[in-house]
Amino acid sequence: MSKVLASQTSDQTAVLEQIKETIKQKHVELLHLQFVDIEGILKHVTVTAEQLDDVVEGKIMFDGSSIKGFSPINRSDLYLLPDLNTFAVLPWTVEEGYSEARFLCSVTNPDGTLFEGDPRNVLKKTVERAAQKGYTISVGPELEFFLFKTDENGNPTTEPQDNGGYFEPSPKDLGERVRLAIYRALKAMGFTIEASHHEVAEGQHEINFKYADALGAADNATTYKWVVKTIASQYGLHATFMPKPVFGINGSGMHVNMSLFKDGENAFFDPSDENQLSETAYQFIAGLLKNVKSFAAVTNPLVNSYKRLVPGYEAPCYIAWSASNRSALIRIPAKRGVATRVELRCPDPSANPYLAYAIIAAAGLDGVENGLQAPAPIDEDIFHMSEERRAELGIENLPGSLGKAIEELEAGTIGRDTLGEHVFNEYVAMKKAEWDSYRTAVHAWEIEQYQGKF
């Protein structure tokens, strides 16, 4: 047995026995083995519950050359190793005498070692890096989404499902019953839901779930996006995590709240400091500020991401931090003690959670390991600040396009160091092709503006 398989199975006998009992009690017939590609798109292969032993031992093989950014055709055999802690019965499949379940999996090579092209394995390496310093990474993501109507053929439109606004209840908030169904599905799958509400834009929503360790948070974010889309489709709606689907209204973000814990204590909390932040917290902030331009292509990975990161729509596009200022890229939510955390506000929900949380954590750890000093906080309203005032305070902007973000990713070191050669090279090539396709395409705006005029 490989080292990977041995480490997973040696202390999880009780978990496996509980899974077998649940499969029996819930009449689970099919198991979906899930993983994500480099873009974070969920994939799965389905096997029968009778194959559970082979599943647990990592014996289910697939063709890695058919997954974007994974393997060349001459080295295409890869295997799926389930994380037993991610087992969940799918509530929308449950009926009398039948149900289905899923595992989230890491991808392994034929010899049982972790496949370097798997985003889940990339995050594991960052978690291990933190652990070597005595830290556990805690992550609480907040993913916004839109609910749009579909046309007579079931294709998505950009017509919002309602015209509600921030925190509005029914009857304005027509998404309430959809969010309730999503909440029930997530709860049945083991989530702890903390809040659910209508967001600022028409048709925009948010459901918050409890923080977890970095790997668990990425698993939860991946599951959350899948469940939201699945439940929305049952109501004849299309859920999208596209950052800016409609011009002129707020886009969707994925604020990432992150903390480091050491010996069971929050390493960001210091009651004696003016802001009740520790030196470690300030260093972590400094690391984020230093590296954010270099990792924006990972946390904001689409051409469309940079239509959201513009002034006027509450999206943070200025590189600064504050203890409370929501116009800053980084803010410190008010809660302290065990809840002390750093909130990075630029990421959007189209990002691959595994890669995004890995590179954010790595950037913060860079600050901690190198003793970087955070600049003074900016408590003024940056959105309404003059360009001259921003220049006076040394406030820079995030990259203004995917093309510029790719340049910054290649020029920096955080991307290659965190993602590894395989993922970094595949990711950059994929994003360059995406940007080039957009750059050379003729868009409807150009036809509208120029065709009749020139």
Side-chain angles (χ1 to χ4, degrees):
M1 182 182 293
S2 73
K3 292 181 180 179
V4 173
L5 297 184
S7 65
Q8 175 148 352
T9 58
S10 62
D11 58 353
Q12 295 207 31
T13 303
V15 176
L16 180 56
E17 289 306 311
Q18 182 60 54
I19 289 171
K20 289 180 177 179
E21 184 61 27
T22 300
I23 287 174
K24 180 179 178 181
Q25 291 179 356
K26 299 289 186 179
H27 305 285
V28 175
E29 291 192 15
L30 298 177
L31 300 173
H32 304 289
L33 309 184
Q34 301 181 325
F35 63 101
V36 299
D37 65 13
I38 287 181
E39 290 186 292
I41 305 302
L42 193 66
K43 308 288 184 181
H44 77 204
V45 61
T46 303
V47 300
T48 62
E50 286 75 19
Q51 294 173 267
L52 178 63
D53 288 341
D54 284 347
V55 167
V56 171
E57 292 177 16
K59 292 182 178 180
I60 304 302
M61 187 180 72
F62 70 100
D63 175 10
S65 67
S66 296
I67 303 298
K68 184 182 289 187
F70 266 33
S71 300
I73 198 165
N74 61 323
R75 292 187 289 110
S76 61
D77 288 352
L78 294 173
Y79 291 80
L80 294 171
L81 179 67
D83 185 331
L84 301 188
N85 295 316
T86 67
F87 174 82
V89 175
L90 308 182
W92 57 86
T93 69
V94 177
E95 55 186 68
E96 186 66 32
Y98 177 85
S99 67
E100 301 168 19
R102 74 84 193 260
F103 289 101
L104 280 166
C105 303
S106 293
V107 180
T108 66
N109 296 305
D111 64 0
T113 57
L114 294 176
F115 171 58
E116 64 177 354
D118 174 19
R120 200 168 188 270
N121 292 337
V122 169
L123 179 54
K124 283 183 177 181
K125 289 181 180 178
T126 301
V127 169
E128 290 170 3
R129 171 185 169 187
Q132 289 171 1
K133 303 291 182 180
Y135 293 115
T136 299
I137 307 167
S138 174
V139 180
E142 304 168 18
L143 294 86
E144 298 166 334
F145 61 93
F146 280 87
L147 292 176
F148 289 122
K149 295 179 181 179
T150 54
D151 64 19
E152 62 275 10
N153 297 316
N155 297 315
T157 69
T158 54
E159 182 182 354
Q161 185 239 5
D162 66 26
N163 62 356
Y166 191 59
F167 271 34
E168 280 196 298
S170 58
K172 280 275 192 179
D173 177 10
L174 298 179
E176 204 167 45
R177 62 178 184 148
V178 185
R179 292 202 312 272
L180 177 60
I182 294 168
Y183 156 78
R184 287 173 172 164
L186 291 171
K187 184 179 179 182
M189 295 177 72
F191 280 64
T192 299
I193 303 300
E194 296 185 329
S196 171
H197 62 89
H198 200 289
E199 260 296 343
V200 174
E202 295 180 355
Q204 189 182 35
H205 305 270
E206 183 176 326
I207 301 172
N208 298 131
F209 48 90
K210 189 176 181 180
Y211 67 88
D213 65 278
L215 189 62
D219 288 341
N220 287 344
T222 299
T223 302
Y224 169 85
K225 291 201 281 186
W226 177 51
V227 171
V228 167
K229 284 180 170 290
T230 299
I231 300 300
S233 69
Q234 294 173 359
Y235 284 82
L237 299 170
H238 175 72
T240 182
F241 291 91
M242 182 179 175
K244 188 80 168 183
V246 180
F247 170 74
I249 63 175
N250 286 29
S252 291
M254 179 179 67
H255 299 167
V256 177
N257 297 271
M258 193 168 287
S259 305
L260 295 181
F261 280 77
K262 195 167 192 176
D263 300 324
E265 300 290 331
N266 190 320
F268 285 176
F269 178 58
D270 181 356
S272 66
D273 177 70
E274 177 185 2
N275 294 311
Q276 295 188 301
L277 297 176
S278 69
E279 182 181 20
T280 300
Y282 288 116
Q283 292 169 342
F284 194 91
I285 291 167
L288 293 180
L289 294 173
K290 169 193 168 185
N291 290 290
V292 65
K293 284 186 178 182
S294 297
F295 68 64
V298 177
T299 57
N300 303 85
L302 307 184
V303 167
N304 183 254
S305 297
Y306 299 87
K307 305 292 180 72
R308 166 181 168 258
L309 293 176
V310 295
Y313 300 99
E314 298 187 16
C317 45
Y318 302 115
I319 302 174
W321 80 278
S322 172
S324 59
N325 186 358
R326 290 180 184 267
S327 67
L329 178 75
I330 297 168
R331 81 177 190 100
I332 312 299
K335 290 184 178 180
R336 291 294 185 268
V338 70
T340 307
R341 59 195 186 273
V342 171
E343 178 187 36
L344 182 66
R345 297 171 60 79
C346 63
D348 70 58
S350 69
N352 181 331
Y354 298 99
L355 300 185
Y357 304 164
I359 208 161
I360 294 169
L365 287 168
D366 176 42
V368 175
E369 292 168 355
N370 291 292
L372 302 183
Q373 297 299 307
I378 304 296
D379 296 324
E380 299 176 46
D381 183 353
I382 307 174
F383 290 155
H384 296 95
M385 192 180 286
S386 69
E387 188 173 336
E388 291 75 19
R389 178 60 175 159
R390 287 197 295 272
E392 179 186 337
L393 294 172
I395 299 173
E396 298 184 73
N397 291 7
L398 289 173
S401 69
L402 179 61
K404 182 61 178 174
I406 296 166
E407 291 177 8
E408 295 280 3
L409 178 63
E410 285 194 289
T413 59
I414 193 74
R416 193 180 300 273
D417 291 347
T418 304
L419 305 183
E421 287 291 331
H422 180 113
V423 172
F424 179 84
N425 291 332
E426 292 288 343
Y427 189 87
V428 168
M430 178 171 51
K431 289 300 159 184
K432 281 185 172 179
E434 183 178 337
W435 174 247
D436 199 52
S437 174
Y438 172 78
R439 183 183 60 82
T440 57
V442 177
H443 301 275
W445 182 91
E446 296 169 86
I447 301 297
E448 180 183 329
Q449 292 290 318
Y450 304 137
Q451 188 179 38
K453 186 176 180 180
F454 296 99

